[in-house]
Amino acid sequence: MKWHILLEVRLHGEPEAVEAFLDDVMERMVDAGIEDPAVGASLQAGIVEIEFVVEGGFLEEAHQRVRRILAEALRLPANSELVGESTRRAELVPA
């Protein structure tokens, strides 16, 4: 089953540094096999939306996979929490 994930993250730093960081995050997500990653950001405010699709047999399995991948992609410290996480079953409609 595929799950659509949307995360809202607040990043601190100069807009150029945030943009470079997000480029790196996107590259690591693609390398980890994440489907359809997208990043939207207000660089001045430091608010970032990260959106993608992940495979998982059930919701908790998908969340565990997402947390592992994002902890690595965002270089989160151990035991950190994601805030503003939204998940829904991906409704993929053929073109």
Side-chain angles (χ1 to χ4, degrees), residues 4-5 24 36 38 67 75 80 82 88-89 93-94:
H4 179 260
I5 311 292
D24 191 40
D36 301 326
R67 287 183 188 113
R75 297 181 182 157
S80 60
L82 297 174
R88 67 176 168 80
R89 206 162 157 187
V93 179

Side-chain angles (χ1 to χ4, degrees), residues 51-87:
E51 189 172 3
F52 55 95
V53 173
V54 67
E55 189 84 31
F58 52 93
L59 181 60
E60 186 55 37
E61 180 184 331
H63 277 193
Q64 289 172 1
R65 181 165 184 237
V66 165
R67 287 183 188 113
R68 280 192 308 270
I69 291 168
L70 287 177
E72 183 177 313
L74 294 171
R75 297 181 182 157
L76 298 174
N79 299 324
S80 60
E81 289 184 60
L82 297 174
V83 178
E85 180 179 353
S86 170
T87 305

Side-chain angles (χ1 to χ4, degrees), residues 27-66:
E27 187 174 312
R28 282 184 258 146
M29 289 177 68
V30 169
D31 290 347
I34 293 294
E35 296 181 42
D36 301 326
V39 173
S42 169
L43 296 178
Q44 292 297 328
I47 303 294
V48 178
E49 286 187 354
I50 302 172
E51 189 172 3
F52 55 95
V53 173
V54 67
E55 189 84 31
F58 52 93
L59 181 60
E60 186 55 37
E61 180 184 331
H63 277 193
Q64 289 172 1
R65 181 165 184 237
V66 165

